[in-house]
């Protein structure tokens, strides 16, 4: 009996009628520009957010990764690994083949 007094009152008939008559908001499925929304799964969303954060907050990170790869290959003393690192860096930077990108640490030729 006490539990019934704690329950909120049921909605009035007028309130129910106004809810049924109201049009569903059309903007829920569209962007402000009128384009349909693209709902991503969690993994795709996380990957895209990582790319945005890297691009906006750490713009030098790709260059640093290239430099690290080159330094590790150079320090290994393995010419094949150095060539592979240069090829990877060239591919990532979109350089033309035959042109070696500059991946030397600052202060070295």
């Amino acid at each position: 009996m006490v539990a019934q007094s704690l329950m909120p009152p049921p909605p009035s008939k007028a309130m129910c009628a106004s809810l049924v008559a109201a049009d569903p908001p059309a903007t829920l499925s569209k962007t402000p520009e009128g384009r349909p929304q693209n709902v991503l799964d969690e993994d795709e969303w996380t990957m895209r957010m990582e790319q945005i954060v890297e691009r906006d907050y750490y713009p030098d990170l790709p260059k640093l990764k290239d430099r690290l790869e080159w330094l590790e290959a150079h320090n290994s003393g393995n010419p094949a690994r150095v060539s592979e690192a240069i090829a990877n860096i060239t591919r990532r930077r979109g350089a033309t083949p035959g042109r070696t990108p500059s991946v030397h640490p600052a202060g070295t030729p």
Side-chain angles (χ1 to χ4, degrees):
M1 188 107 165
V2 173
Q4 289 180 352
S5 64
L6 296 177
M7 298 292 292
S12 66
K13 289 186 179 190
M15 182 183 283
C16 289
S18 68
L19 290 174
V20 171
D23 291 330
T27 58
L28 289 180
S29 62
K30 302 240 182 217
T31 64
E33 297 85 25
R35 293 176 296 157
Q37 289 183 351
N38 183 16
V39 179
L40 304 174
D41 67 344
E42 184 178 357
D43 293 334
E44 179 75 16
W45 183 87
T46 303
M47 182 187 70
R48 289 188 184 188
M49 287 303 297
E50 287 174 355
Q51 290 171 346
I52 291 169
V53 168
E54 182 178 313
R55 180 195 69 205
D56 292 350
Y57 294 102
Y58 305 101
D60 292 334
L61 196 57
K63 292 178 187 175
L64 293 172
K65 287 179 181 179
D66 289 345
R67 183 173 288 171
L68 176 64
E69 181 179 2
W70 185 84
L71 285 172
E72 287 176 342
H74 179 72
N75 290 338
S76 73
N78 183 349
R81 189 169 171 196
V82 172
S83 297
E84 182 182 343
I86 290 174
N88 289 340
I89 293 166
T90 303
R91 180 181 39 79
R92 282 193 299 264
R93 290 190 180 180
T96 57
R99 181 179 165 266
T100 305
S102 176
V103 291
H104 299 286
T108 62

